[in-house]
Amino acid sequence: MTVSINGKNLLIIGGGSGIAQRLASDAAAEGASVVLAGRHPLKAASARGGGDISTAQVNLGDEESIKALAAQVGEFDYLVSLAADHANGPLATLDRDAVLGAFDAKVIGPILLAKHLAPRIREGGAILLFSGVAAWRPAPGLAVMATTNGAVSFLAEALAVELAPIRVNALSPGIVDSGAWDRMGEGRDEFFSNVAASNPARRIGQPADISSAALLALTNPFITGTTLHVDGGGRVA
């Protein structure tokens, strides 16, 4: 059984990503009121068929910013954090501040979000944190990404126990055509083709794939303390 998201309030952190924008649009189209929050000023997503989407600012590296967001949003039902601040590269080139920034976005920030926002989540509510397939498929140059994504999965389990009956889960996407890979330029299409050829689903993920899974994790009242892998089988390929 799933609960309808119609009439619910959804707060999305990391609202500038293509996945966040699609989730906001899908949730609003189903009747939810959505707040997209990010470190930089955001343009509200366009909901399919209209919908209630507004924006806010928050910096997960600043606890006062998180406290201010909690006061701004008041009571709500669902919290999703997609925030990320990558510190990729060979170990020999890693910068400490960049590594700390990555942990702020993926691990420390979500802990503080739970600290200040969980008391405002209504009965039946849930938190969804975003992990990633790199935790299960580590590669050279991605040590920080693999570690932070893995920590998210363990954090979801710990918070599910401590915050019960608020449900807490993690979602681990694979390679998704969300716009994040566009910086590869002409190499993007070849990369996508290689990934699609090697994973069991034989395709690249789309934001709609992740959005539908996120809505399931938020609205199914018997899913908590788990990581939902939406990666086309990439972690086992």
Side-chain angles (χ1 to χ4, degrees):
M1 179 181 88
T2 58
V3 177
S4 172
I5 202 169
N6 182 38
K8 304 294 187 180
N9 294 89
L10 169 62
L11 172 60
I12 302 175
I13 311 295
S17 77
I19 292 173
Q21 297 270 316
R22 177 60 191 244
L23 175 58
S25 177
D26 287 349
E30 293 186 21
S33 295
V34 183
V35 176
L36 278 170
R39 185 167 52 182
H40 305 294
L42 296 170
K43 180 180 179 181
S46 298
R48 295 177 295 109
D52 181 6
I53 302 177
S54 58
T55 62
Q57 282 188 258
V58 66
N59 180 357
L60 295 192
D62 179 357
E63 187 170 4
E64 290 302 314
S65 175
I66 295 172
K67 289 171 63 176
L69 177 66
Q72 178 182 345
V73 299
E75 289 191 345
F76 63 102
D77 300 286
Y78 302 125
L79 168 65
V80 179
S81 182
L82 302 97
D85 192 1
H86 301 305
N88 297 334
L91 283 173
T93 68
L94 289 180
D95 175 77
R96 176 179 171 80
D97 288 341
V99 173
L100 292 175
F103 275 86
D104 274 339
K106 280 282 193 176
V107 184
I108 301 171
I111 290 173
L112 296 177
L113 286 171
K115 173 184 176 181
H116 294 289
L117 289 163
R120 298 176 181 271
I121 295 177
R122 299 185 184 105
E123 183 179 354
I127 296 172
L128 181 64
L129 307 177
F130 266 63
S131 179
V133 70
W136 290 267
R137 297 280 292 182
L142 299 180
V144 177
M145 179 181 286
T147 303
T148 54
N149 283 336
V152 168
S153 189
F154 285 110
L155 177 59
E157 294 182 3
L159 291 179
V161 173
E162 182 159 349
L163 298 179
I166 294 172
R167 294 177 297 103
V168 186
N169 293 293
L171 192 156
S172 176
I175 305 302
V176 178
D177 187 10
S178 62
W181 301 97
D182 292 353
R183 64 184 182 277
M184 295 181 68
E186 295 180 358
R188 188 200 69 161
D189 290 345
E190 181 180 359
F191 170 67
F192 280 176
S193 294
N194 291 338
V195 170
S198 65
N199 72 29
R202 298 294 189 265
R203 62 185 286 267
I204 294 297
Q206 297 297 324
D209 300 321
I210 310 305
S211 175
S212 64
L215 291 173
L216 171 66
L218 291 173
T219 58
N220 187 305
F222 205 52
I223 300 177
T224 193
T226 194
T227 297
L228 183 59
H229 295 276
V230 190
D231 57 14
R235 75 193 180 286
V236 296

